[in-house]
Every structure is written in structure tokens, then in C-alpha cells.
Amino acid sequence: MSKLRTLFYTIIVFMISQSYCLSLEIIGVISAGIGDISNQKNEKLSTGSKIYFGDTIIVKEKSNAQILLLDETALTVGEKSELTIDDFIYDPKSKVGKIVSNIKIGTVRIITGEISKQNPDNLKVNVPTGSIGARGTEFAVFTESDEKSTVVLLGPGKENTLGMIPGILNVSDGFNNINITTPGFQSVVFK
């Protein structure tokens, strides 16, 4: 009985240590940080700070941060903004993965990386009023409150001279979906 109990406790300790290690998985870095930037633990962040799975990045007034994720997705977080990386899975060999982020408030510009190029359904940005899916593009999200978010496609478009895959955004309020395919066009999502 004692050996069974010891085995049971060993398994529990192993499972707890594995979940702790997974929660400390590095998924990116702050490639440029100016001003007052912190995480959900109120730890000060600056250029070079590591971003971990599940982190919430809080950017205060007169501050901004650029986050570079492992798949080369770049997130520029403007002042008075809050962003959480809810899910990040990435295999650098196959370049397959999934990103789910949540913009609570503020302005975030996103340049998609390898994950979105492989499968646009694997990049999802949640806002209080809905969600955005993206393929191979650059876009900005302005979340003013729990009631209103604006999404703008920045590019590239169908007729780009760089030979890049045209960007597409799929914006949803939970009931309706709209695709944005022309750079400069936007969608305002109300609750």
C-alpha cells in the first residue's frame, strides 16, 4: 500500500511540475518597448523582456510595445491598451500552429506571421464585440470599449506589386460575418 501511495504522489507531483513548465513557455519577446509596460503580475517589461504563454501585456499612457512572436507575427500595442495571448502553439519545422489573442481595450496593429500563412483559421483575435480571423496581412484593431471595436485592413491588396498573397480579414460579431479584402476598408463591430 505504501508503494502505491508513493507512486500516486509521484505522479501528482510530476503532473503539477509539467503544467507549471508549460505555463512558463516562452512564446515571444518585446522587440521594442517605450514607457510603462507591464504584465498581469505587475512586472515591468521593456525591450528584450520575454513573453510567456498566457501573458497579459498592459501598456499605459504615453507608452507602446512591439511584440514579436516565435512565428514572426508582430503585434504593436499602442498606449492605454491591454492584450492577452490566450493560446499559442507553433512548430517551427512545419510552421503550423495556432494563435488566439484577446484585445480588451486599446489599439493593436498586427502583421501576421507563419501561422496565418499556413492556415488563416489558425489566427484569431477576440475583441469584446466579436472576433477577427486573418490571412497573410497587416491590420489594426481599435477597441474603444466593451461596446465598439473597429477593424481596418492595412494590406497587402489584390493588386500589390510585391507578389504577396492578398490579405483577407474575416470579422464576426457572433451572428454576422464579413470579409474585408480591400486595404483601407474597415468594419465597425458593435455589441
Side-chain angles (χ1 to χ4, degrees):
M1 184 72 168
S2 176
K3 288 183 180 181
L4 186 59
R5 181 179 291 170
T6 303
L7 178 63
F8 177 73
Y9 286 129
T10 302
I11 290 171
I12 295 296
V13 168
F14 178 74
M15 288 172 54
I16 291 171
S17 67
Q18 289 293 10
S19 65
Y20 180 72
C21 287
L22 287 175
S23 69
L24 294 179
E25 182 179 342
I26 296 171
I27 61 168
V29 65
I30 294 192
S31 56
I34 299 170
D36 190 2
I37 307 162
S38 62
N39 63 17
Q40 72 280 5
K41 298 175 190 173
N42 207 26
E43 297 169 336
K44 181 131 176 83
L45 303 175
S46 60
T47 302
S49 294
K50 294 175 178 135
I51 303 299
Y52 297 94
F53 176 80
D55 268 356
T56 297
I57 309 305
I58 303 158
V59 179
K60 304 288 173 105
E61 188 173 4
K62 297 182 182 176
S63 305
N64 60 52
Q66 185 173 42
I67 301 166
L68 184 61
L69 299 178
L70 293 176
D71 80 316
E72 299 178 4
T73 294
L75 305 143
T76 303
V77 185
E79 69 175 339
K80 299 180 187 176
S81 299
E82 189 171 322
L83 166 80
T84 302
I85 308 295
D86 292 322
D87 198 1
F88 185 87
I89 301 166
Y90 180 61
D91 177 11
K93 291 180 183 175
S94 66
K95 300 186 182 208
V96 173
K98 181 177 183 179
I99 301 172
V100 178
S101 62
N102 187 341
I103 301 171
K104 182 177 178 184
I105 191 81
T107 304
V108 179
R109 186 180 119 228
I110 300 166
I111 301 174
T112 59
E114 293 297 332
I115 289 174
S116 179
K117 288 178 188 172
Q118 293 293 322
N119 185 345
D121 294 334
N122 289 343
L123 184 138
K124 183 176 181 183
V125 177
N126 294 316
V127 293
T129 55
S131 64
I132 303 119
R135 180 185 73 194
T137 194
E138 180 179 353
F139 63 102
V141 180
F142 309 98
T143 300
E144 299 173 33
S145 67
D146 287 346
E147 303 291 323
K148 180 181 176 186
S149 294
T150 304
V151 181
V152 179
L153 176 62
L154 300 174
K158 293 178 190 173
E159 304 292 326
N160 72 77
T161 59
L162 302 173
M164 298 173 73
I165 298 170
I168 295 175
L169 295 179
N170 179 273
V171 181
S172 174
D173 65 0
F175 301 104
N176 303 299
N177 291 312
I178 185 169
N179 285 331
I180 304 174
T181 58
T182 305
F185 279 46
Q186 69 180 16
S187 177
V188 179
V189 188
F190 294 100
K191 195 169 223 179

